[in-house]
Amino acid sequence: MEAIRPVGRTLLRDQAYAAIRDAIVAGEIEPGAVVRDAELAARLGLSRAPVREAFARLVDEGLLESKPQSYTRVTPVVAADVRDAAAVVGAMHELATRVAVPRLTAADVAAMRAANERFDGAVRAGDVDLALRADDALHDVLVRVSGNRAAAATVARYTPLIRRLERRRFGEGGTCRSAGLHERLIAACAAGDADGAVHVTAEIWRTLADLAD
C-alpha cells in the first residue's frame, strides 16, 4: 500500500482552483453570480479550506471579487481588463517565441501543425472547447520550448480573462481567422525565422485584443 498516500493540501487547493476557474471561463458560473465556499466544496467533494484558498487566488487573478463578510462573486467581463490582459499575454508569447524558434525540433513543429488542424476543424464545427484547447496546445509548444517559467506563469494567470470574452464572442456567432495566422506562424517557425514568427505572434494577440472592442 506504499503507493497510496494522503493527497496533499496544495494539490486539493490546485484542483479546486482549476475546477472553479474552468467553470467561470466556460460560463457555467456566470458573471455576477455569487459563489459560496460551502456549496462549491460539496459539489467538488472537498472541504471548505481548499475552496477558500482557490477563491483567494481567483480574486487575485481578477475572476472573482470579494467583499469581506458580505459576498464573493464572479467579476463581469470588462473590455479594458481584457485588453490589458491581451497586451501582457501577447508580450509574453512574443518573448517565448523569439527564444523558442531557434530551439524548435521537427517534432515541435509537427505538434504545432497537428494542433492547428484540430483548431481549424473545431472552429468549423463550432466546438469552442476543442478550439480553445487546440489553440492553447499550439502556443504552449513555444512557451514550453522557451523554458521561461516566468512567461509561462504570466500566460497561465491572465489567459482566462481573455478566454471568457472569446467564448462569449464565439457563442454570439463570431468568426475566428486565427487558423490562417497560425499557419503563417508555423511556417515562420519551420523556416527558423524568429523575427517573422514574433511578427505573426504580435498580430495574433492584437486580433484577440480587438475582441474587446
Side-chain angles (χ1 to χ4, degrees):
M1 302 294 288
E2 291 182 1
I4 301 177
R5 298 182 176 87
V7 177
R9 178 182 177 88
T10 299
L11 179 58
L12 291 176
R13 178 197 64 201
D14 291 345
Q15 289 176 343
Y17 162 79
I20 299 167
R21 177 203 62 201
D22 291 348
I24 293 171
V25 171
E28 295 172 13
I29 308 177
E30 297 181 350
V34 173
V35 292
R36 297 176 176 84
D37 54 8
E39 177 183 334
L40 286 176
R43 289 173 59 184
L44 292 169
L46 300 172
S47 69
R48 294 169 70 175
V51 173
R52 287 173 178 168
E53 292 175 7
F55 279 7
R57 183 172 172 184
L58 290 163
V59 168
D60 185 52
E61 294 181 358
L63 291 175
L64 292 178
E65 57 187 3
S66 181
K67 182 178 180 180
Q69 308 304 319
S70 182
Y71 61 78
T72 300
R73 65 189 179 195
V74 179
T75 57
V77 179
V78 178
D81 292 343
V82 174
R83 284 194 295 268
D84 289 347
V88 171
V89 172
M92 292 301 98
H93 276 291
E94 289 178 45
L95 171 64
T97 297
R98 185 169 297 282
V99 174
V101 167
R103 303 176 180 178
L104 290 171
T105 65
D108 294 326
V109 175
M112 294 174 70
R113 288 199 175 101
N116 197 37
E117 289 176 3
R118 296 195 302 274
F119 176 85
D120 188 40
V123 170
R124 294 176 187 275
D127 188 336
V128 63
D129 292 313
L130 180 57
L132 294 180
R133 287 198 300 272
D135 184 72
D136 284 338
L138 188 155
H139 293 287
D140 283 350
V141 171
L142 293 165
V143 174
R144 172 181 56 79
V145 172
S146 78
N148 190 319
R149 292 191 295 176
T154 303
V155 167
R157 173 170 179 166
Y158 291 106
T159 296
L161 292 172
I162 305 166
R163 291 306 194 210
R164 284 207 295 171
L165 184 61
E166 284 186 278
R167 292 186 67 91
R168 175 179 292 185
R169 291 288 187 261
F170 205 114
E172 293 171 349
T175 58
C176 182
R177 62 186 184 90
S178 290
L181 288 172
H182 287 162
E183 290 175 2
R184 289 170 50 200
L185 172 62
I186 294 166
C189 289
D193 180 4
D195 288 339
V198 170
H199 177 78
V200 179
T201 298
E203 187 174 349
I204 288 170
W205 288 95
R206 280 197 304 272
T207 300
L208 291 175
D210 288 346
L211 284 175
D213 298 324

